[in-house]
Structure formats: C-alpha cells, structure tokens
Amino acid sequence: MEKMRITNKIMQRNNLSNINTNKVYQDKLSTQMSTQKKVNRPSDDPVVSIRALRLRSNVTEVTQYYSKNIPDAESWLNVTEDALKNLTEIITSMIKQSTKGSNGDLKAEDRQIILEQLKALGEEVYSTGDADYAGRYVFTGYRTDTSLSFDKEYNTEYNITEQLGNSSITKLTKVNTGKLLDITAANYKDTGFNKISEQDVKATEVYRIQLSYDDCKKDGTPSISFQEKQADGSYQEVTWPDQNTGQPVIDKISSTADPYSKVAGDPDAIVYVPETGELLLGENRYKTLMDCKDDPATSGKNEGEIQVTYQKNHWMKGDLRPEHYFKCDATVDGKTIKYNQKYTQDDEDRQAIEYDVGFNQTIRVNSTADECFQHGIGRTVDDLVQAMQDVLDLETVKTRIEGLQENATGGDADILKKQMEAVEKALTLSKDKCQKLFESSITTFQGYLDDANLCITNCGTRSSKLELIENRMKSQKTTFETLKSENEDIYTFGNKTYKTEEARNIDSHYSKKDVFNLYENSENEYFLTYMNFYTHQNEIINAWFG
C-alpha cells in the first residue's frame, strides 16, 4: 500500500486551520459571555433563533397586557365607579327630598328649603358625568375628547331624533290660574282683575310626550313617526305630519297661551310647546300611539318605537350634548355634522370601549351616558321645582290679599273676597298636584337609582374579571420570560457566566476548584474548546472565574 507523504507545508496548513478554527470558537464563546446570549445571529442556531423570535413576541405581548393595558383598564373602571357612586348619592338625596315634598302639611319655609335643595341637586347631577381619566371623558363613548355637557352657552342648531316608547307618554295636570299671580295692591281693582273668581280657576289633564330638552327652537318643525299595524298584519310607517299632505297639523303654541286647554278640548289635536319641550296629545292621538307595541313575532325591528324629531338651537352651560345620546345633525359654520346615524337601527350596538387584556380576550371598561345619566333625571327635577314654585307663588299672593283685606271695605272687600276664593281653590289644586307629583317622583328616581346601581354592579363585575385576568397574565409573563431565558440566555453562577445547563445545578457556596473539577470532566464542546487555548490549570481557573 502506498503511503501518503506528509510534508511540512501540509502540517503548517493543518496547524493554521486548527488555530483558525479555535479562534472562531474563542470568538463565539467570548461573544456569548459578553452578550449572555446563546445566539447572536440566526446562523448560530436556526432552531433556537426561530424559537427566540416566537418567545420574544409572546413576552412583548404579555408585557403589553400586564404592564399597560390591564392597569389602564383598571384605572378607567375605578374612575367610572367613583363617578357612579357620586351619582347614586345625588339621586338618593333627590329621593329624600321627594319624600319630604310628598308631605301635604308643609309650611312655606319647608317648601322653600326643598325647592333650593332640588335646584342644587339638579345642577350637580350632570357635572358628575364629566368625570375623566387621563384627559378622556369616561361616559361619552368613542368621543372621549368631548365633555358630556356644554361648558358654556352655545347657539349651535341640532336636529334631534329621540327614540321613545309609549311609556314615555304621561298624563299631566295643569292648574290654570289666569291672572291670579299678577294681583298686587295697585291693580287688584283694575279691569281684568276685579272680576276674578274661583270659576276662573280650573285643572286640566292632558297627555304629553316630554322631550329631553326644553327651550327648543320656536319655529322648528317637529314630527312623530311610528309603525302602524295594518289589517293584513303588516306594519306601515306613519309620520305626523305627513310629508305629502301636511296632516295632521302640529300646532306650535307658547306656554303662556294656554296650550293645555286647547288639547283638552280637541281629541285630534297635537300641540308643540317649544319653551317647555312638550308635545301635547289629544285623546285620539294618545290612543293611536298607545297601540304601538313591539311584535314578538318579528325580529330586527321594534314596532313599539316612537321617533320624535325636533330642533334646538340654544344651549346653556350644563346642558347635555345630544351627540352622546341621539341620532342628530349639527349645523356648525354652515356645515352639517351627522352623529349616530345608525342608532335608529334596532341591532346597532352603542359605543362600548373594550381593552385587549389577554390573548384573544377583551373587556369592556365604559358605561355610556344613556345608561346612567339620563335626561329624565333633570327633567323630573324641573317638574318638581316648577310644581313647588307654583305653590309658593300662590301662597305669596294669598298673603298679599290677606294684607289688603285688613283695611278693605265695601266693594273692595267683595273684590278681594272673590280673589281670595280663587286663590284658595288654585292653592288647593296646586298642592294636590304637587303632592302627587312628589309621590310619583319617588318611584321615578328609584328607577334611575336602580339604573345607576346596575352600572356600578357591571363595573364591579368587570373589575373582578380583570383581576382574574391580571393574575393569569402575571403567571404567563413569568412563564414566557423563563422559557425565553432558557432558550437564548447563557446561565449564571454568582456574577460569572457559563455555557452549559450543568451550571444551573451549581450552588453559590461551591468553591472555584469544585466548579473547575466539575467542568474538567465535562464533554461540553464549547468548554473543552475553550480549554484548548490554555495549558495550565491556573490559567483556566483565572480565565473562567477571575
């Protein structure tokens, strides 16, 4: 057999190749020691690299959930819950005042105190709804940059469509006092006052739809739309007034022109009172709308819905912005801005804000204004204040006439006697109306309180769910960080770094020599290659352990 001749050149080349290979290993190990990473480029270990990318993505995502999204959602829920608790306290105070006001034996001083308390509560209730978290209003749905109520007086025209049911139609008692409240010592004998008698005072009952706003546009064009059931069982949309015929006519009458008597005397009448934000209905119109009921046999459409469209162009500070509640259009600088155009679709969800708090897991954090800060709270307070004020005004007139009667004689005494009879009748009717209104308001406010408490319960449920998710995300964060570390990090012993998992079993109280002896018998290729660069044991120990 012919033997291969090994020349000096071959030996030199092999030695250079081995030295170069060792230097490559040295560079690799030095890089790992300095970076504390097993791989620094994908080519170092493709399998580890692919796994590292996936685990790094998982760690980043879990960190986003655990360190940012969940705390943010928790803070949002806390702010919401605090505001709702303030709301419940205010409504509870309203219930207490309503209970006091339902007492029929109140003195004028007591009525005045209740009146002032209700006014203060009415002014406070909606300011609570302007609560914000990190500059974002929490009750305004997606429009977190817009406050719930107007912060100053505006003259922006809105075309508003309210979605109501026949439960929104209520019976209203109106006491017509005529000119009683205008009687003074200077004019009680004048024409128009000297003939006043108790026959001029009467109570009128009418049906009304109370809109969410008063002080509406005086020359506005309100309309009422609803679904009317046909003989064949189908439904047809009806609008008052009809766009083609203009019938039936909706009369616009000022509150000072006694619109209530007109409606009471005409069963087909529909009267719009823009100052008070009321639609008054005659008996026949009332019956037609009360026939509107949702048909359980159909889906995707509420046949019991009554839509009322009207205009309002003057807003006071504290008025609720309609864009947070209704389908509406606003005219600003000649341009029309449309809001919530899909609200009239029955399957349209309201503006729920959800946070991503886990893998494929979200949680809702907001309560919308229409769930808790309803217009009806303020409108009920307005009715109570007006009813109480009417009684106080009549008591003032009664006191004024009693003072005039002390020195009156002859014909003047007769005039004052008839005026006193009229005042006493009006006062009896007004007190009865006021008492019944306060009694019914207890139930009304309790309904609003139940809505607010439901929102608080939902808030608490979401917080509890969020706490469970937070605990799970904490565990997952630890797990993914551990997996990521095991996949790509080199292991540590004290303040030193090593290349093999055997180092994980070394306790910190082992001596350097114990550790060296452990690794002296190691077959780890990185460790053995690194040893090739040194010829003495001390040099090896110094290189590894300092």
Side-chain angles (χ1 to χ4, degrees):
M1 177 182 294
E2 184 177 351
K3 295 182 179 180
M4 180 179 177
R5 183 184 175 196
I6 304 300
T7 64
N8 291 336
K9 190 68 173 178
I10 293 176
M11 294 175 61
Q12 183 182 14
R13 190 173 5 348
N14 288 340
N15 287 334
L16 290 174
S17 176
N18 291 334
I19 292 173
N20 191 52
T21 299
N22 288 337
K23 284 185 174 293
V24 170
Y25 277 123
Q26 181 189 21
D27 177 65
K28 183 176 182 178
L29 293 174
S30 297
T31 302
Q32 287 182 342
M33 292 179 67
S34 61
T35 62
Q36 295 192 356
K37 299 294 181 183
K38 292 179 182 178
V39 294
N40 289 280
R41 59 181 68 86
S43 59
D44 289 345
D45 192 326
V47 175
V48 171
S49 298
I50 292 173
R51 191 184 301 120
L53 291 175
R54 185 171 64 251
L55 291 172
R56 287 179 184 181
S57 177
N58 290 337
V59 169
T60 300
E61 194 171 355
V62 172
T63 301
Q64 175 70 31
Y65 295 144
Y66 180 73
S67 301
K68 297 181 180 180
N69 292 18
I70 290 178
D72 201 30
E74 187 176 12
S75 298
W76 186 297
L77 288 170
N78 289 338
V79 171
T80 300
E81 187 171 1
D82 289 343
L84 289 172
K85 286 180 179 178
N86 289 336
L87 175 62
T88 59
E89 291 176 2
I90 293 173
I91 298 178
T92 300
S93 297
M94 290 179 176
I95 293 175
K96 292 179 180 178
Q97 297 303 320
S98 295
T99 303
K100 292 179 181 178
S102 62
N103 186 348
D105 299 324
L106 292 173
K107 297 181 180 179
E109 296 80 5
D110 298 327
R111 297 184 195 278
Q112 188 64 45
I113 293 173
I114 294 173
L115 182 68
E116 296 302 325
Q117 289 287 337
L118 284 173
K119 286 182 178 180
L121 292 170
E123 292 173 357
E124 176 66 20
V125 63
Y126 294 131
S127 62
T128 306
D130 281 324
D132 70 282
Y133 165 62
R136 296 176 292 173
Y137 294 100
V138 297
F139 293 106
T140 57
Y142 301 150
R143 301 181 185 89
T144 57
D145 59 341
T146 306
S147 61
L148 181 64
S149 57
F150 288 97
D151 57 354
K152 61 181 180 180
E153 187 175 355
Y154 282 90
N155 291 314
T156 303
E157 180 169 334
Y158 281 80
N159 186 66
I160 303 167
T161 298
E162 291 194 34
Q163 297 166 258
L164 308 171
N166 53 27
S167 61
S168 300
I169 305 174
T170 57
K171 182 178 285 189
L172 170 69
T173 299
K174 184 67 177 179
V175 179
N176 187 352
T177 58
K179 295 183 178 181
L180 276 179
L181 299 178
D182 298 325
I183 294 177
T184 64
N187 66 15
Y188 77 95
K189 295 184 290 184
D190 294 348
T191 302
F193 292 96
N194 58 1
K195 299 295 183 181
I196 291 177
S197 67
E198 62 179 331
Q199 285 74 28
D200 297 322
V201 178
K202 57 184 178 180
T204 304
E205 289 188 340
V206 296
Y207 297 103
R208 72 164 179 179
I209 296 177
Q210 187 179 44
L211 304 176
S212 294
Y213 299 101
D214 59 3
D215 189 23
C216 299
K217 186 178 180 181
K218 291 180 173 55
D219 58 347
T221 55
S223 65
I224 303 173
S225 298
F226 58 95
Q227 298 290 323
E228 188 174 55
K229 192 171 186 178
Q230 306 299 303
D232 60 358
S234 63
Y235 290 88
Q236 180 179 351
E237 183 173 339
V238 176
T239 300
W240 294 341
D242 185 88
Q243 293 182 350
N244 297 321
T245 65
Q247 298 295 324
V249 175
I250 298 181
D251 295 316
K252 291 187 281 291
I253 301 178
S254 171
S255 59
T256 59
D258 192 15
Y260 308 96
S261 296
K262 174 178 174 55
V263 174
D266 184 356
D268 292 320
I270 308 175
V271 174
Y272 177 50
V273 189
E275 296 98 324
T276 60
E278 294 174 311
L279 279 167
L280 308 180
L281 305 171
E283 183 74 21
N284 292 340
R285 302 300 178 187
Y286 163 75
K287 290 179 179 179
T288 299
L289 292 180
M290 289 304 292
D291 287 337
C292 295
K293 294 180 175 62
D294 188 23
D295 190 343
T298 62
S299 60
K301 184 67 178 177
N302 180 10
E303 291 81 9
E305 183 176 278
I306 300 171
Q307 296 184 6
V308 179
T309 301
Y310 60 98
Q311 297 76 38
K312 179 174 171 63
N313 59 359
H314 182 68
W315 306 90
M316 298 299 294
K317 179 180 178 180
D319 286 344
L320 296 173
R321 290 180 176 271
E323 59 262 39
H324 299 313
Y325 293 86
F326 311 114
K327 172 187 175 182
C328 57
D329 304 335
T331 303
V332 181
D333 297 330
K335 297 181 180 179
T336 300
I337 304 174
K338 297 182 179 294
Y339 298 103
N340 313 320
Q341 297 302 297
K342 294 183 179 181
Y343 269 20
T344 52
Q345 300 177 9
D346 293 293
D347 57 349
E348 175 65 18
D349 291 332
R350 296 302 170 110
Q351 300 176 3
I353 296 177
E354 295 182 336
Y355 271 70
D356 289 325
V357 292
F359 295 105
N360 298 320
Q361 191 167 18
T362 61
I363 190 169
R364 179 176 175 177
V365 297
N366 74 317
S367 298
T368 54
D370 58 351
E371 294 175 329
C372 43
F373 292 93
Q374 296 101 322
H375 290 79
I377 301 174
R379 295 292 270 157
T380 301
V381 170
D382 291 342
D383 283 347
L384 295 176
V385 168
Q386 186 60 55
M388 187 67 79
Q389 189 64 60
D390 290 343
V391 173
L392 288 171
D393 291 342
L394 286 169
E395 288 179 336
T396 301
V397 174
K398 180 180 179 180
T399 301
R400 188 183 303 148
I401 293 176
E402 287 175 343
L404 293 173
Q405 285 180 320
E406 292 178 359
N407 300 318
T409 59
D412 291 350
D414 293 336
I415 292 174
L416 290 170
K417 180 181 178 181
K418 291 182 178 180
Q419 291 175 343
M420 177 60 74
E421 291 173 348
V423 169
E424 288 179 342
K425 180 181 179 181
L427 196 53
T428 299
L429 292 173
S430 295
K431 284 183 177 180
D432 182 65
K433 170 193 172 180
C434 186
Q435 182 178 3
K436 291 179 178 178
L437 193 60
F438 270 82
E439 287 174 348
S440 64
S441 70
I442 296 174
T443 303
T444 302
F445 284 134
Q446 186 61 52
Y448 293 128
L449 181 60
D450 291 342
D451 291 339
N453 283 328
L454 178 60
C455 288
I456 292 177
T457 301
N458 291 337
C459 224
T461 301
R462 293 163 187 163
S463 295
S464 298
K465 179 181 177 181
L466 188 63
E467 185 177 357
L468 294 175
I469 296 173
E470 182 179 18
N471 292 335
R472 187 169 65 253
M473 285 298 105
K474 180 180 180 181
S475 176
Q476 289 185 356
K477 183 173 182 288
T478 301
T479 299
F480 281 123
E481 286 177 343
T482 300
L483 291 173
K484 172 178 172 291
S485 177
E486 290 179 348
N487 179 66
E488 60 183 80
D489 292 347
I490 56 177
Y491 298 97
T492 61
F493 174 74
N495 61 348
K496 304 300 178 180
T497 55
Y498 308 102
K499 314 298 184 299
T500 175
E501 294 187 9
E502 294 177 27
R504 299 183 63 190
N505 300 319
I506 301 173
D507 194 74
S508 59
H509 66 270
Y510 286 178
S511 67
K512 292 182 179 180
K513 186 173 182 180
D514 291 333
V515 177
F516 175 76
N517 289 335
L518 173 65
Y519 279 96
E520 188 179 38
N521 299 319
S522 174
E523 295 182 358
N524 182 278
E525 60 173 315
Y526 294 147
F527 181 81
L528 295 176
T529 302
Y530 202 69
M531 286 177 61
N532 290 334
F533 289 98
Y534 303 96
T535 57
H536 300 289
Q537 179 172 310
N538 289 338
E539 290 178 342
I540 297 173
I541 293 177
N542 289 333
W544 280 84
F545 309 110

